[in-house]
């Protein structure tokens, strides 16, 4: 199928090309030229962007749930519903994210995601311009159960434990190789060995729900940790005498910082600090969404615990924040309007940066010749107008 997207402001990794056309052939981006240069008669389908922005499809690497469903439900219906919600909000690929839970429930969730991924990959190659196909499940993000109790956040304390390489080996096998990220607290006994093991398996290690001090954090980075889970949240805070893991992450160029840009988890001033420290290339916008995303205020669950959502804030009964109701298009909007980041840089934080972090940037994450035609058309307010997905 030959597709032309015309009259667009095309967001590339380097600039915004205003009034350009974008051609897609065999599910890949083939040409990007000024509007009117390409002959429309050469194409099977033409989409007029009408002067709106075209960006790469958003990639959410940390999302638990949405629309009333959760990864931990362990059902095809749950993952499919989540994937269909994501595509409507511009997310063309995501990592389903688990919670600290019983071994039995974790294994069920992992096997279910592996089965869903297998079904997606087994379908014929095509290009969907209707927005009816679900977003692609790119893999699994295991958030827990290897966390510090003092920084557990909304993770269930009942199932917290020290890192276990034997258990991790079983999880990886059950996932059929789909585990992409494992979050753990690097100060726990056995954590450094687990980090080395996971890196040997090609798996990204993120430091999360951790009370690690500055020196321990630096050691973990040397061992192979390349990411921190929702920076400043679920981790030792920064002070001038003990910068902690948050301080260590901000000054280490090897480390990506996940960020929940909703002005609830982080004050805009804190977000500006992260941008000043990490620049445009080492921030990953995440939703960390729970099942209330896309739904109204009310009572929900996360990791088996009751969550009350009020005014888009999701909290446990004791007031602890319990994920978010954020979507990535809103996170990008917030980065532009709350933090003052350029649109191109904010888009990068939700596309190319997560793609690079999990090692898929040769195929996805930016509008460049030869890459997958995962595209989003949106207006000035980041309302999603059209999604194009390479399947």
């Amino acid at each position: 199928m030959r597709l032309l997207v015309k009259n667009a402001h095309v967001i590339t990794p380097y600039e915004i090309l205003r009034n350009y056309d974008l051609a897609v052939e065999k599910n890949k981006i083939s040409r990007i030229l000024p509007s009117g240069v390409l002959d429309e008669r050469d194409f099977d389908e033409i989409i007029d962007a009408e002067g709106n922005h075209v960006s790469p499809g958003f990639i959410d690497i940390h999302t638990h749930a949405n629309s009333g469903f959760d990864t931990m439900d362990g059902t095809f219906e749950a993952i499919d519903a989540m994937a269909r919600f994501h595509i409507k909000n511009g997310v063309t690929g995501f990592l389903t994210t688990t919670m600290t839970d019983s071994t039995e429930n974790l294994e069920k969730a992992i096997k279910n995601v592996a089965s869903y991924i297998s079904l997606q990959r087994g379908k014929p190659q095509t290009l969907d311009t209707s927005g009816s196909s679900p977003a692609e499940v790119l893999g699994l993000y295991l958030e827990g159960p290897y966390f510090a109790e003092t920084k557990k956040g909304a993770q269930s304390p009942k199932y917290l434990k020290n890192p276990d390489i034997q258990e991790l080996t079983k999880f990886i096998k059950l996932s059929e190789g789909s585990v992409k990220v494992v979050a753990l607290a690097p100060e726990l006994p056995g954590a450094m060995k687990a980090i080395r093991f996971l890196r040997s398996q090609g798996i990204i290690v993120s430091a999360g729900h951790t009370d690690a001090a500055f020196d321990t954090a630096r050691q973990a980075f040397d061992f192979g940790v390349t990411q921190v889970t929702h920076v400043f949240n679920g981790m030792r805070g920064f002070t001038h005498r003990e910068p902690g893991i948050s301080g260590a992450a901000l000054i280490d160029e090897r480390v990506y910082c996940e960020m929940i840009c909703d002005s609830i988890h982080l004050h805009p001033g804190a977000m500006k600090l992260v941008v000043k420290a990490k620049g445009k290339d080492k921030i990953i916008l995440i939703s960390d969404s729970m099942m209330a995303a896309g739904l109204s205020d009310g009572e929900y669950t996360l990791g088996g615990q009751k969550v009350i959502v009020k005014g888009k804030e999701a909290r446990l009964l004791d007031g602890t924040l319990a994920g978010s109701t954020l979507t990535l298009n809103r996170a990008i909007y917030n980065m532009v309007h709350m933090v003052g980041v350029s649109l191109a840089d904010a888009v990068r934080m939700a596309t190319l940066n997560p793609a690079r972090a999990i090692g898929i940037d040769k195929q996805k994450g930016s509008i460049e010749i030869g890459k997958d035609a995962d595209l989003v058309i949106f207006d000035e307010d980041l309302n999603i107008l059209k999604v194009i997905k390479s399947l």
Side-chain angles (χ1 to χ4, degrees):
M1 179 184 181
R2 292 168 298 177
L3 170 70
L4 176 67
V5 180
K6 67 178 187 178
N7 301 324
H9 298 328
V10 180
I11 302 175
T12 76
Y14 317 105
E15 59 186 324
I16 298 179
L17 301 173
R18 299 191 178 276
N19 302 314
Y20 266 64
D21 293 350
L22 184 153
V24 175
E25 296 180 41
K26 297 180 180 179
N27 296 353
K28 304 290 183 181
I29 298 166
S30 61
R31 286 174 287 177
I32 310 167
L33 293 166
S35 292
V37 172
L38 295 169
D39 190 337
E40 294 186 12
R41 293 173 296 182
D42 293 336
F43 296 91
D44 303 308
E45 183 176 350
I46 298 171
I47 295 173
D48 191 346
E50 299 180 339
N52 289 294
H53 290 94
V54 176
S55 86
F58 310 147
I59 298 172
D60 194 347
I61 68 166
H62 186 155
T63 171
H64 296 274
N66 60 53
S67 58
F69 295 93
D70 193 298
T71 302
M72 296 306 296
D73 292 347
T75 66
F76 176 93
E77 178 190 24
I79 304 301
D80 198 56
M82 289 164 57
R84 292 179 188 280
F85 175 85
H86 277 306
I87 205 81
K88 292 176 183 177
N89 291 281
V91 172
T92 55
F94 67 105
L95 298 184
T96 54
T97 307
T98 61
M99 287 284 289
T100 298
D101 206 329
S102 68
T103 300
E104 179 184 3
N105 287 343
L106 280 168
E107 290 180 356
K108 178 185 175 184
I110 290 168
K111 287 191 287 187
N112 178 61
V113 172
S115 295
Y116 189 91
I117 291 173
S118 180
L119 285 170
Q120 277 197 325
R121 290 177 179 169
K123 292 183 177 179
Q125 289 288 303
T126 185
L127 188 70
D128 180 61
T129 60
S130 67
S132 60
S133 297
E136 182 180 357
V137 178
L138 300 169
L140 266 160
Y141 185 125
L142 303 184
E143 190 180 13
Y146 316 118
F147 290 148
E149 186 166 0
T150 54
K151 297 295 178 182
K152 62 181 175 54
Q155 303 282 334
S156 173
K158 183 178 179 181
Y159 299 108
L160 294 176
K161 61 179 76 170
N162 294 328
D164 183 331
I165 291 177
Q166 186 175 354
E167 184 174 63
L168 281 166
T169 301
K170 186 174 183 182
F171 288 163
I172 294 166
K173 185 177 180 180
L174 289 173
S175 80
E176 300 175 15
S178 62
V179 173
K180 300 298 181 185
V181 181
V182 173
L184 53 76
E187 74 274 20
L188 296 178
M192 296 300 174
K193 288 183 179 179
I195 293 166
R196 278 189 166 168
F197 166 73
L198 290 165
R199 296 302 295 141
S200 74
Q201 302 299 305
I203 295 170
I204 304 304
V205 185
S206 184
H209 293 280
T210 168
D211 199 25
F214 182 87
D215 289 343
T216 303
R218 291 301 297 270
Q219 183 185 11
F221 301 157
D222 290 340
F223 269 66
V225 168
T226 56
Q227 197 167 302
V228 294
T229 300
H230 40 54
V231 67
F232 287 125
N233 289 276
M235 62 180 59
R236 181 183 291 212
F238 176 93
T239 72
H240 61 294
R241 292 195 177 92
E242 172 46 71
I245 188 165
S246 52
L250 290 178
I251 65 171
D252 197 307
E253 295 180 2
R254 297 170 292 181
V255 179
Y256 287 94
C257 287
E258 297 177 6
M259 191 158 70
I260 309 171
C261 187
D262 62 357
S263 77
I264 298 168
H265 285 78
L266 292 173
H267 186 281
M271 292 188 275
K272 288 182 181 180
L273 173 62
V274 177
V275 172
K276 288 282 189 182
K278 302 304 293 185
K280 66 182 181 181
D281 294 321
K282 287 295 183 177
I283 295 171
I284 300 172
L285 298 184
I286 62 167
S287 67
D288 194 19
S289 58
M290 49 84 68
M291 65 169 57
L295 302 176
S296 59
D297 288 356
E299 186 177 307
Y300 299 91
T301 61
L302 180 66
Q305 300 180 91
K306 186 180 291 187
V307 177
I308 304 299
V309 177
K310 185 177 181 181
K312 297 190 179 299
E313 290 189 23
R315 295 182 181 272
L316 300 181
L317 296 181
D318 66 3
T320 301
L321 282 170
S324 84
T325 59
L326 187 66
T327 56
L328 276 198
N329 61 318
R330 301 296 5 128
I332 295 169
Y333 180 90
N334 291 343
M335 285 299 289
V336 173
H337 294 276
M338 291 181 182
V339 186
V341 171
S342 72
L343 176 62
D345 287 352
V347 166
R348 174 188 288 257
M349 294 171 188
T351 55
L352 186 55
N353 292 359
R356 281 179 173 165
I358 64 173
I360 60 170
D361 54 298
K362 289 184 179 180
Q363 300 82 37
K364 301 180 183 294
S366 60
I367 293 180
E368 297 181 82
I369 304 301
K371 286 197 174 184
D372 291 351
D374 294 344
L375 305 167
V376 180
I377 302 175
F378 58 81
D379 66 16
E380 291 293 334
D381 293 322
L382 267 295
N383 295 309
I384 306 302
L385 304 176
K386 189 82 173 176
V387 179
I388 300 162
K389 180 74 184 78
S390 172
L391 302 172

